[in-house]
Amino acid sequence: SEVYERELDDIFQIQEDISNAIVVELSKSLELDFGENKITVPKITNDIEAYDQYLKVKNIPGKAGPARKMKQIEMLRQIVQQDPEFDEAWALLGSSLWAYNSWVPRSVTDFHKEGIEATNKALELNPSSANALRTKGNYAIRAFDLNKA
């Protein structure tokens, strides 16, 4: 058990430092040698307020229903406006728009175009974003299904 007291300047660096301290201690007690391998925590935003909001909105369940999903979309729009370089927020916005559009009839609202744009923005910022790649696949499947009908 350790106590980590420091200023909350860079949450990602703190996560990385604590993760590596745990690995060092576990490797000692388990008699394992991880060599020079270090855990790295990607810094997904420089805006701690945007990150805090992202963590709150990220935990809204996928099957929350249209009203809660719309609230999530509104919050994500604010987050990406506050930090336009926050790729994971863009990816979540794209997938949230996709999910919302799956529940609400297209005659009422169609977020298809905005969702694709958000997903593409996420991939522009981070071409290996698993969330954005999955969502891009979902949009491709929907387009294929619509063209088949």
Side-chain angles (χ1 to χ4, degrees):
S1 173
E2 295 286 330
V3 175
Y4 296 91
E5 290 186 32
R6 59 176 74 175
E7 290 293 318
L8 188 60
D9 295 334
D10 185 346
I11 186 70
F12 304 106
Q13 186 61 52
I14 293 170
Q15 288 175 340
E16 190 171 293
D17 293 346
I18 292 171
S19 298
N20 282 301
I22 291 169
V23 167
V24 167
E25 291 305 314
L26 281 175
S27 65
K28 288 177 189 175
S29 64
L30 298 173
E31 297 179 4
L32 298 172
D33 182 12
F34 291 107
E36 295 298 316
N37 294 332
K38 279 185 56 180
I39 294 173
T40 56
V41 176
K43 189 171 192 170
I44 60 176
T45 181
N46 290 319
D47 188 326
I48 196 70
E49 184 181 320
Y51 183 64
D52 183 53
Q53 291 302 311
Y54 170 78
L55 291 177
K56 290 174 185 171
V57 76
K58 182 180 175 186
N59 290 321
I60 295 175
K63 297 181 180 178
R68 289 192 65 203
K69 188 56 75 176
M70 192 64 216
K71 178 69 174 164
Q72 183 183 42
I73 289 167
E74 291 167 2
M75 291 174 70
L76 285 163
R77 285 174 175 155
Q78 291 172 2
I79 292 167
V80 298
Q81 184 176 8
Q82 183 173 334
D83 183 358
E85 302 299 309
F86 195 165
D87 63 276
E88 284 304 308
W90 282 107
L92 186 55
L93 176 58
S95 67
S96 297
L97 289 162
W98 181 87
Y100 188 84
N101 210 29
S102 298
W103 292 323
V104 177
R106 285 174 182 75
S107 60
V108 175
T109 183
D110 188 354
F111 291 134
H112 187 80
K113 182 179 180 205
E114 182 185 356
I116 289 173
E117 289 170 356
T119 302
N120 287 338
K121 178 67 175 177
L123 289 169
E124 175 188 313
L125 294 166
N126 179 2
S128 62
S129 168
N131 293 331
L133 290 167
R134 182 195 70 240
T135 302
K136 187 168 183 147
N138 287 338
Y139 279 109
I141 290 168
R142 179 176 289 153
F144 177 78
D145 288 344
L146 290 174
N147 288 332
K148 267 184 18 182

